[in-house]
Amino acid sequence: MTKASIDNASRPAGFLTFTLHAHLPYVVNHGTWPHGLEWLHEAAAETYLPLLRVLKNLERDHIRFNCNLNLSPILLEQLSHPVFLAEFPHYLTRKIVAAREDEAFFLQSGDNHLAETARFWQRFFSQALEDFNHFDRDLIAAFRHFNDTGLIDIITCGATHGYMPLLGTDESVRAQIRTAVDTHVRHIGKAPRGIWAPECGYRPAGSWSYPVSNADGTPTPPAFNRIGVEQALSESGLEFFFVDTHLVEESRRTSSPYDQPGDHKAQSHEEALQPHQAHRSLYQPYYVDGPYNKDHATTIFPRDPRTGLQVWSGDTGYPGDNIYLDFHKKRWPGGHRYWRVTGSRVDMNDKQPYYPHEAGERTKAHASHFVHLVYEALKSGFNDTIPPILCSPFDAELFGHWWFEGPLWLEAVARNLHEYESGIQLISCADYLDQYPRAGFIAMPEGSWGSEGNNQVWLNPETSWTYTHIYPAEIYTRDVCTAGLWRTSALGLRIMQQLCRELLLLESSDWQFLITTGAARDYAEIRFLTHNDQFNEVKAIWQTFESNGAITETGQTRLTEIELRDSIFPDIDPALWVSGASETRPDQPTLLPVATAV
């Protein structure tokens, strides 16, 4: 038997890679309940700590998970913030007390089952408090441990989740990414290899025009040739990101600079639209084509649509199963949930009691079903020279917060693949790229994983007004950073750093998303206007400094207040916004060549 045949015999027939996108907008010092810090507390208790318990269980039992976990930079800043660290134990204590009060009420009412469910919530939040203290109140260090042991690969995101297809300057795109990388290194201890492009938003290089006019009355800038997302990522040493299905299905395969001369023949338009063999189009990574340095080409992994719908859909997916915990019906004042889904169209008053043990058992059947779906999706490529990979990306908060049993389901999938021979193995994207070549180069259209696959969730008649403020703020920041006066004194640097912080917070795509969906429209509008007002206040303070070399006592006081409120990215570098900044790429090894055949 040859070495190649031995390697093929021991190699999995296919791979599954989970990507969990953990992100919340900046809520510290900006409200508590119902919107604000409560969101962070809920996510930490219901998603992040349960996920850490899953990782701890799998590590104990020597079971692979190897998922890509994005901890967004602004989430890292919040999980390490003194306000969160001080308030989270109080939140957990309130939840425990509320569950005890619920138990007493149900016992008095003679409802023993709901009283037992109240005891379940007592145990759940007591466990969360115990785990938080066990991790020395440092969730980031806990995740970093599993990153260092290889059970997960922590990747990054835009600094404040800025939606890159609609950002108004190349410098803003680069600063979102480079600030993200710097923040990741500070918290995780090493540079990320991959990134979750916010909202899976992608834009190619090319001519672009501002879609709205400026609210401040300044002239709308002319169209310009902007860089593609792939170039900004490559310049920051990032190797891969994720895109939605349709961007690959609508893509055009291009010639590879790594192919030998004469390897290509002329393609018809129809042939060019087929990135690779039909059965592999979504189950392989690709280099992204574009006018940038392809010695360090960036890679994309496409999202698999069928398995994705099965996991996140509340109507046809697992979370909508009748036996799982209903997200919407809560008992006040404690906010605990005691009822199961019962049925997608069942009235709130008719929801039936929740049975935690039965729901936990149901995750095992759904995990087995999911593995079968992955097998069916990949099996046509099992005999290919390069094994296929199925990419399943989700918002991390789906697991635990929205779908309470979700973390148990993730653990059940890992255990199923460990215990039963399916030929499929879990792997991180970075590990896959270290072992196997890309399928080729593709040129993609602009798009996202939002409704209709385009930009409409973030730019529509309800949100377009936000961009009339964002664009002039981006251009002003680029201009004053480029002028360089801030470099001449500590005060100038301090003012400009806060201006950059407020711009980043203004650019968060969460505000437009919450406005469009109506989930928390009033809060999102207030938050956007708050950061816009604070940007303009800092701008006025800067202009005083620009004229006088100093600022007033009132300006000093206000600057300090804004700094304390939005104390993120302590080492933020205004040089990232200088015109043409960040074009120099960190030293990285050249990527592997592409696959020549399957």
Side-chain angles (χ1 to χ4, degrees):
M1 182 177 289
T2 65
K3 181 181 184 300
S5 61
I6 293 173
D7 289 343
N8 287 334
S10 60
R11 188 200 73 186
F15 291 98
L16 166 65
T17 185
F18 280 120
T19 302
L20 305 182
H21 168 49
H23 165 71
L24 285 176
Y26 186 65
V27 294
V28 175
N29 296 326
H30 288 277
T32 52
W33 188 90
H35 309 307
L37 192 59
E38 190 91 354
W39 288 352
L40 184 59
H41 292 333
E42 289 176 346
E46 299 171 18
T47 293
Y48 310 146
L49 282 167
L51 181 56
L52 284 167
R53 285 195 285 275
V54 167
L55 295 173
K56 188 176 178 181
N57 292 341
L58 295 177
E59 181 183 54
R60 178 197 63 209
D61 297 337
H62 306 288
I63 295 175
R64 292 176 65 94
F65 191 51
N66 300 76
C67 83
N68 315 286
L69 174 64
N70 164 44
L71 299 176
S72 74
I74 198 63
L75 177 61
L76 290 171
E77 294 291 88
Q78 295 181 89
L79 292 178
S80 61
H81 199 288
V83 170
F84 168 73
L85 298 177
E87 291 297 323
F88 186 53
H90 299 318
Y91 166 83
L92 296 176
T93 301
R94 290 196 300 273
K95 299 297 284 187
I96 294 166
V97 170
R100 288 173 181 162
E101 293 172 349
D102 286 351
E103 179 190 5
F105 174 83
F106 291 134
L107 286 174
Q108 187 176 18
S109 304
D111 197 326
N112 292 328
H113 173 67
L114 292 185
E116 176 54 38
T117 307
R119 288 190 285 273
F120 167 81
W121 288 122
Q122 292 174 49
R123 294 190 297 271
F124 178 83
F125 286 101
S126 295
Q127 182 69 58
L129 183 57
E130 180 181 329
D131 288 344
F132 189 59
N133 290 326
H134 171 75
F135 294 130
D136 294 326
R137 302 191 175 194
D138 192 341
L139 299 185
I140 297 172
F143 281 116
R144 189 167 58 236
H145 162 76
F146 295 112
N147 185 68
D148 292 342
T149 60
L151 198 60
I152 59 175
D153 178 35
I154 301 179
I155 61 175
T156 193
C157 186
T160 56
H161 215 261
Y163 183 62
M164 290 188 280
L166 291 176
L167 295 183
T169 67
D170 289 344
E171 290 75 17
S172 284
V173 173
R174 287 171 164 141
Q176 279 275 349
I177 296 167
R178 196 60 65 90
T179 302
V181 171
D182 292 345
T183 304
H184 188 96
V185 171
R186 177 162 50 85
H187 285 288
I188 306 303
K190 62 180 75 171
R193 295 182 61 182
I195 186 171
W196 179 281
E199 318 294 3
C200 292
Y202 172 75
R203 71 181 210 193
S207 179
W208 183 75
S209 299
Y210 287 89
V212 296
S213 58
N214 293 340
D216 63 3
T218 56
T220 302
F224 69 98
N225 285 316
R226 63 182 185 175
I227 62 172
V229 166
E230 65 281 350
Q231 178 174 339
L233 299 183
S234 177
E235 289 169 350
S236 291
L238 292 161
E239 299 176 40
F240 63 88
F241 65 110
F242 307 90
V243 295
D244 202 14
T245 312
H246 67 99
L247 294 188
V248 172
E249 291 176 334
E250 298 166 10
S251 67
R252 174 175 55 83
R253 194 177 186 207
T254 64
S255 300
S256 164
Y258 295 104
D259 289 333
Q260 296 299 316
D263 279 357
H264 283 279
K265 60 181 182 180
Q267 291 179 305
S268 68
H269 177 68
E270 290 72 24
E271 289 173 326
L273 289 175
Q274 297 297 322
H276 216 45
Q277 294 189 16
H279 72 276
R280 288 292 302 277
S281 63
L282 296 179
Y283 306 118
Q284 55 199 352
Y286 300 89
Y287 284 127
V288 183
D289 193 24
Y292 70 116
N293 182 3
K294 296 188 186 66
D295 286 342
H296 303 287
T298 304
T299 298
I300 58 98
F301 285 86
R303 180 181 73 90
D304 178 60
R306 184 182 176 191
T307 54
L309 186 67
Q310 190 66 57
V311 175
W312 64 257
S313 173
D315 295 323
T316 61
Y318 305 135
D321 188 274
N322 292 350
I323 207 168
Y324 288 142
L325 183 68
D326 186 82
F327 174 79
H328 298 284
K329 187 172 182 178
K330 300 177 182 180
R331 185 178 188 275
W332 299 105
H336 290 303
R337 294 174 282 169
Y338 292 92
W339 300 272
R340 54 191 175 92
V341 171
T342 310
S344 61
R345 302 187 185 280
V346 172
D347 186 83
M348 285 293 172
N349 293 326
D350 297 325
K351 298 286 184 178
Q352 297 301 303
Y354 175 63
Y355 289 79
H357 178 73
E358 292 182 11
E361 288 297 309
R362 182 63 59 88
T363 62
K364 298 176 183 177
H366 284 155
S368 178
H369 179 260
F370 181 80
V371 170
H372 174 71
L373 289 181
V374 174
Y375 181 91
E376 289 296 312
L378 296 181
K379 68 179 182 180
S380 62
F382 280 169
N383 294 322
D384 291 350
T385 305
I386 300 166
I389 180 170
L390 185 146
C391 182
S392 281
F394 305 102
D395 286 334
E397 292 78 18
L398 166 66
F399 301 95
H401 178 57
W402 296 102
W403 176 22
F404 181 72
E405 299 80 10
L408 296 177
W409 177 84
L410 286 170
E411 182 174 347
V413 171
R415 291 186 180 278
N416 186 293
L417 290 171
H418 177 77
E419 294 168 5
Y420 302 102
E421 180 53 50
S422 64
I424 299 168
Q425 188 176 93
L426 287 163
I427 196 170
S428 69
C429 289
D431 284 347
Y432 185 90
L433 296 182
D434 285 343
Q435 298 176 48
Y436 303 104
R438 285 65 161 175
F441 275 75
I442 58 172
M444 297 182 296
E446 183 165 315
S448 72
W449 77 340
S451 178
E452 303 298 325
N454 54 30
N455 299 332
Q456 70 179 28
V457 170
W458 301 277
L459 181 63
N460 56 62
E462 302 299 316
T463 63
S464 59
W465 65 272
T466 64
Y467 290 96
T468 70
H469 297 284
I470 291 172
Y471 293 144
E474 289 178 325
I475 292 169
Y476 181 82
T477 302
R478 179 185 63 190
D479 290 347
V480 295
C481 287
T482 302
L485 180 62
W486 57 273
R487 300 179 187 270
T488 62
S489 71
L491 178 59
L493 172 61
R494 177 186 167 194
I495 299 169
M496 196 50 54
Q497 285 181 315
Q498 196 58 39
L499 191 79
C500 293
R501 292 186 186 104
E502 295 304 323
L503 176 62
L504 288 173
L505 290 168
L506 199 66
E507 291 173 333
S508 170
S509 71
D510 299 279
W511 314 137
Q512 290 87 9
F513 177 82
L514 292 170
I515 292 170
T516 299
T517 61
R521 178 169 182 158
D522 291 348
Y523 179 75
E525 290 176 341
I526 290 171
R527 287 298 308 280
F528 181 87
L529 291 171
T530 295
H531 293 298
N532 188 57
D533 289 345
Q534 291 181 173
F535 178 90
N536 287 326
E537 285 185 86
V538 177
K539 176 181 174 180
I541 293 169
W542 168 258
Q543 289 171 336
T544 298
F545 172 81
E546 201 172 29
S547 298
N548 306 326
I551 60 177
T552 65
E553 184 176 342
T554 301
Q556 284 273 11
T557 300
R558 187 59 186 141
L559 178 60
T560 299
E561 291 173 348
I562 295 173
E563 287 174 325
L564 288 173
R565 190 179 201 187
D566 295 339
S567 53
I568 56 173
F569 312 131
D571 301 321
I572 193 167
D573 184 4
L576 298 178
W577 280 265
V578 171
S579 182
S582 306
E583 292 181 2
T584 303
R585 186 179 187 279
D587 289 334
Q588 292 286 334
T590 300
L591 304 182
L592 296 172
V594 300
T596 56
V598 179

